Amino acid sequence: MPVVTLLSDFVDGTSMALSEDTDAHSLNSYMLRNQGQLWAGMQQRRLARHLTRRRRGPGTLYYAPTEKAQACVNAYLQTVTGSREEKEQQHAMQSSGVEIAPHVGEAIERKVLFSRKQRRLTPQARAKGFG
């Protein structure tokens, strides 16, 4: 069964990914039928954990049509951003048939998408170490 995953980066420096099974035959079909469903679930979880709900920019939707493709998405999500392994896993995802699209919610996220500039991290998210 196909799986859709929403990955979002937030201004406090955290990331969150939520997945759900779907019977949609493509990412486009999923987006037309289930607008905002994963995003609402992510908002509820972050609210319950007292985390910010402001994203740095648009999130990313991954549509994995097979179990092998979903395994590739999971492996990609475990990699370090900018690493060689991330590039290898991204290639594996694409060759396994994973569809990828930006997930845009608010008007400000559309602006970020078009300008290609993410919002800055909060000072707490940029802090490293103690004193």
Side-chain angles (χ1 to χ4, degrees):
M1 174 171 274
V3 176
V4 176
T5 302
L6 170 60
L7 171 66
S8 294
D9 297 321
F10 294 87
V11 296
D12 63 357
T14 61
S15 295
M16 184 176 270
L18 285 184
S19 298
E20 71 177 15
D21 294 337
T22 182
D23 59 356
H25 63 279
S26 69
L27 179 56
N28 188 53
S29 174
Y30 175 84
M31 290 171 72
L32 291 173
R33 291 189 334 198
N34 302 330
Q35 290 181 341
Q37 187 171 313
L38 276 174
W39 179 236
M42 186 173 290
Q43 293 289 301
Q44 290 171 354
R45 289 180 189 203
R46 293 188 69 82
L47 184 62
R49 295 176 185 169
H50 305 290
L51 297 170
T52 183
R53 293 182 291 158
R54 280 185 58 216
R55 291 197 289 194
R56 293 185 66 200
T60 307
L61 281 168
Y62 300 91
Y63 175 86
T66 64
E67 287 184 28
K68 179 185 175 194
Q70 181 58 29
C72 290
V73 171
N74 289 340
Y76 171 76
L77 294 177
Q78 302 297 320
T79 62
V80 174
T81 302
S83 68
R84 194 181 96 202
E85 183 186 10
E86 180 191 39
K87 289 181 178 147
E88 291 169 359
Q89 292 299 337
Q90 190 170 29
H91 179 69
M93 264 194 323
Q94 292 169 338
S95 63
S96 68
V98 173
E99 294 179 57
I100 304 170
H103 176 268
V104 181
E106 302 172 12
I108 194 161
E109 290 175 348
R110 284 189 287 281
K111 182 178 177 185
V112 170
L113 176 66
F114 294 125
S115 70
R116 297 180 183 255
K117 295 180 184 175
Q118 288 189 319
R119 295 186 217 175
R120 294 183 179 167
L121 294 173
T122 61
Q124 294 84 357
R126 286 193 311 269
K128 295 180 182 176
F130 298 95

